[in-house]
Amino acid sequence: MKLSDKATAHILVKANTNSEWDNCEFAIIHLSEEWKQEQAKRLALVKPLEGNHYFCSMNYYDTAVDFYCTGENENPNIQELLNGKEWVFVELDEQEQEAFTVPENRLDCYRLILRANGTGYYTAYGKHTSEEFWTDEFLLTQLIA
């Protein structure tokens, strides 16, 4: 996985879980052109609700994310890659992503949660455990520009 200063088709974002026995340290979000167009439509729906203190968020089923654990020797080193940022563009080889360690839970019910301020985050749940997995928040307006 290589960091990129230019926009790529993937971002790396920190992730976590509430599981007592499973692990999750990062996620890869896939940014296709269709994904960007869909997010622009969704953001247009929530934008009028900005400033409404009773509005929390909108949830969309969305599977453009994969959750992972760091492997042996903390590889990849997520803290070093993110270097204090919320997310970073990365370049991936298809074989490289297949080599990442996935959580032991079989994940289901992937959702993208959008807020009126343009931020969002992904969640997923263990199919048989209902344990939650989530990414850190990211600003969608930066990704769809």
Side-chain angles (χ1 to χ4, degrees):
M1 180 168 21
K2 296 178 187 174
L3 295 178
S4 176
D5 293 335
K6 298 178 182 176
T8 65
H10 303 93
I11 65 166
L12 166 73
V13 63
K14 191 171 181 183
N16 211 333
T17 181
N18 65 357
S19 175
E20 293 182 16
W21 57 274
D22 207 351
N23 294 310
C24 180
E25 286 84 27
F26 69 101
I28 302 291
I29 301 173
H30 312 280
L31 312 175
S32 67
E33 286 305 315
E34 295 81 19
W35 182 88
K36 291 177 184 179
Q37 292 170 4
E38 188 62 32
Q39 302 326 309
K41 291 177 192 173
R42 292 171 178 176
L43 285 171
L45 290 173
V46 297
K47 186 67 174 166
L49 299 170
E50 190 170 19
N52 181 335
H53 301 290
Y54 296 104
F55 176 73
C56 180
S57 61
M58 279 191 181
N59 296 303
Y60 291 94
Y61 290 113
D62 193 315
T63 58
V65 65
D66 292 306
F67 290 89
Y68 297 103
C69 315
T70 54
E72 293 181 27
N73 303 322
E74 298 297 315
N75 190 21
N77 187 332
I78 301 307
Q79 299 301 333
E80 184 179 299
L81 289 167
L82 288 173
N83 195 23
K85 299 177 184 169
E86 294 176 5
W87 57 268
V88 291
F89 285 110
V90 292
E91 295 178 6
L92 295 170
D93 296 336
E94 195 169 311
Q95 296 81 15
E96 181 180 24
Q97 192 169 356
E98 291 173 5
F100 291 151
T101 304
V102 295
E104 291 183 40
N105 269 290
R106 184 172 162 207
L107 300 181
D108 197 14
C109 194
Y110 288 82
R111 291 184 299 164
L112 174 62
I113 292 83
L114 294 180
R115 296 203 170 107
N117 65 359
T119 62
Y121 63 96
Y122 276 97
T123 63
Y125 295 88
K127 184 169 181 142
H128 301 290
T129 64
S130 298
E131 293 174 318
E132 187 176 6
F133 292 73
W134 66 89
T135 68
D136 279 1
E137 285 190 3
F138 48 91
L139 189 58
L140 277 103
T141 52
Q142 291 178 326
L143 300 175
I144 63 173

